Amino acid sequence: MNEIDKATLEKIETPPMEGWCTVQKACDLFEIVEKHKPKTCLEIGTFGGRSMVAIGLALKKLGRGIVFGIDPWKVEACLEGNNPDANNQWWASVPWNKIIASYFDKLQEFDVLGYVSHFRKHDTECLGYFTKSSIDLIHFDSNHSQEVACRTVKDWWPKLKQGAVVIMDDIDWSGQNKALELMKELGIETVKEEKTYGIYLKK
C-alpha cells in the first residue's frame, strides 16, 4: 500500500461514510488483500460499506477478484438472537433507505463497482451460491449475538479454502468472542489482532 492508497482510504471518514470501520482497519484489509490476492471475497454484514470499499479498492489495484456483500438491511435480521435492549432499540431506529442509498453512492464515488457485488438477503439464503472451499477471504461482521455469530461461522466455514483469510469484527464483544473461540477450535492462524478486530488464516 502506498501513500496514494492510504489517502484514498482516509476518505471513508472525511466526509464520513456510514459504519464503523476505521481507517486503520481499512488499511489492514487493503494490505491483506494486496498480499494474499484473493479472487472470491465475501463480507457478511455490510451496513454502510466502509470495509467493502477497502476490499474493493485493493482488488481494483490488483486488477482481479470480486467481493460479495451480504446484508438484507432489515431490522429483523439485526434483532435475531439475544441482544441488549439498547442494541435492539438502536437497530430498530436505523434509517435503512438512507444507508442503502449512501452505500451505492459510495461504491460509485470510489469507482469499485467492477469489483463489488451485493446480495440483499439473509446470509442463510446465500449459502447455496457458494460451493465448498470456494471462498478466499471472508469478513464476519453481521449480527453480534452469540447465537447468530456462532451459527454464521459454522455455516460458512466449509465454504472457505484452506489458507483463506478470515476477518472477525468486534472480537471484544461477548457474542463475537464466542465465535472467535469456535474459529480457534476449527483451526486458524493469527495474522493480527487489534482490540476490535482480528485477521486470521484458516488452517
Side-chain angles (χ1 to χ4, degrees):
M1 182 175 67
N2 56 38
E3 290 301 314
I4 295 176
D5 298 327
K6 184 176 180 181
T8 302
L9 291 168
E10 287 175 349
K11 293 178 182 178
I12 67 172
E13 290 188 342
T14 53
M17 287 181 67
E18 300 288 349
W20 304 273
C21 178
T22 63
V23 171
Q24 178 186 345
K25 182 181 177 183
C27 289
D28 283 344
L29 293 175
F30 188 101
E31 289 182 332
I32 200 74
V33 170
E34 196 173 29
K35 178 179 180 180
H36 288 270
K37 300 175 174 57
K39 291 182 180 180
T40 302
C41 308
L42 180 68
E43 176 174 270
I44 305 175
T46 298
F47 196 61
R50 289 190 182 195
S51 48
M52 287 286 286
V53 164
I55 296 169
L57 285 169
L59 294 174
K60 180 181 176 182
K61 184 175 182 179
L62 294 173
R64 53 172 276 185
I66 187 167
V67 54
F68 296 97
I70 297 178
D71 198 319
W73 289 311
K74 290 184 177 180
V75 65
E76 294 85 359
C78 301
L79 303 185
E80 290 178 12
N82 294 307
N83 296 289
D85 289 341
N87 177 87
N88 290 343
Q89 291 169 9
W90 190 91
W91 284 108
S93 67
V94 170
W96 293 105
N97 289 336
K98 178 184 176 182
I99 299 297
I100 296 165
S102 174
Y103 171 72
F104 287 107
D105 285 347
K106 290 298 181 179
L107 295 185
Q108 294 181 64
E109 180 181 323
F110 284 95
D111 192 24
V112 293
L113 286 172
Y115 299 90
V116 174
S117 187
H118 191 87
F119 297 112
R120 190 177 177 182
K121 296 184 176 183
H122 196 283
D123 74 283
T124 55
E125 298 178 277
C126 300
L127 285 162
Y129 300 158
F130 298 87
T131 59
K132 183 179 179 181
S133 303
S134 63
I135 297 173
D136 301 294
L137 178 150
I138 194 165
H139 182 202
F140 290 113
D141 192 16
S142 61
N143 183 311
H144 289 357
S145 70
Q146 180 176 319
E147 300 91 337
V148 175
C150 290
R151 190 273 304 157
T152 306
V153 169
K154 291 177 183 177
D155 280 353
W156 287 95
W157 204 254
K159 308 291 184 179
L160 305 181
K161 293 180 181 178
Q162 183 177 5
V165 177
V166 182
I167 303 112
M168 173 71 76
D169 192 53
D170 290 324
I171 57 175
D172 54 330
W173 287 46
S174 59
Q176 296 289 78
N177 186 261
K178 288 292 184 180
L180 177 56
E181 290 177 11
L182 174 59
M183 292 200 316
K184 290 179 178 178
E185 292 174 7
L186 292 169
I188 53 173
E189 173 187 342
T190 301
V191 175
K192 181 177 185 177
E193 281 189 339
E194 297 290 342
K195 180 180 179 181
T196 59
Y197 64 92
I199 301 175
Y200 313 92
L201 299 177
K202 178 184 177 181
K203 290 184 179 179

